[in-house]
Amino acid sequence: MFQNQFYTGTREENYRLLLKQLEGLIEDETSRIANLANASALLQQFLQDINWVGFYLLEGEDELVLGPFQGKPACTRIAVGKGVCGAAVSRGEVMLVEDVHQFPGHIACDSASNSELVIPLRREGRIIGVLDIDSPSFARFDETDARFLTLFTEVLGKYV
């Protein structure tokens, strides 16, 4: 499920290459916004069958605010505990949702989205936001995506 012609290995090899590319892209940059913007652009290039990828950043203790992203305009603020993104923060865990229409309290920023993967973004063990990825396909994401994109957020968390 990779749209870039340069990712020709196995799925795991492609994800490992993505992780190396991320680190090379952000390791010398100190701007949080620049690193998040480049990370979302990198994922947009890498992942196939997605319609939105980006970050929501925790502001205070009870609200996520839209950060750098790729895709259509999105919801600007999400309360912690609301929707898939807010649930990921309140639960402190990855949310892999095969059908967002079946998720209680789902917030439909884009009606074309049918599945979603949300991963807490942590710095020094503390949640500072989430990586949010939407797809127009049902059940687009799986445990391999969740595992490697969690590693992606771990690398990113060192630089934001």
Side-chain angles (χ1 to χ4, degrees), residues 2-103:
F2 307 105
Q3 63 189 32
N4 191 311
Q5 64 187 349
F6 301 108
Y7 298 104
T8 58
T10 67
R11 198 163 172 221
E12 288 78 10
E13 289 169 340
N14 290 339
Y15 265 119
R16 286 187 190 93
L17 178 57
L18 174 73
L19 295 171
K20 287 180 184 177
Q21 288 176 323
L22 174 66
E23 190 128 27
L25 188 62
I26 66 175
E27 67 185 344
D28 293 326
E29 179 53 60
T30 59
S31 168
R32 176 184 191 186
I33 297 300
N35 286 334
L36 292 171
N38 273 332
S40 63
L42 186 61
L43 287 172
Q44 176 70 28
Q45 268 192 313
F46 179 77
L47 295 170
Q48 186 177 18
D49 194 26
I50 64 169
N51 59 329
W52 199 92
V53 58
F55 298 92
Y56 281 92
L57 303 173
L58 197 56
E59 192 169 283
E61 294 182 19
D62 60 353
E63 189 171 50
L64 290 163
V65 177
L66 182 63
F69 70 94
Q70 301 280 311
K72 291 181 180 179
C75 303
T76 306
R77 296 180 181 270
I78 300 172
V80 170
K82 302 292 183 186
V84 181
C85 291
V89 173
S90 64
R91 297 178 190 179
E93 62 187 41
V94 172
M95 303 295 296
L96 196 158
V97 182
E98 293 183 351
D99 180 353
V100 296
H101 309 290
Q102 301 303 312
F103 189 88

Side-chain angles (χ1 to χ4, degrees), residues 130-143:
V130 296
L131 167 61
D132 181 19
I133 309 171
D134 295 351
S135 173
S137 297
F138 290 97
R140 157 60 181 87
F141 306 103
D142 62 18
E143 292 300 327

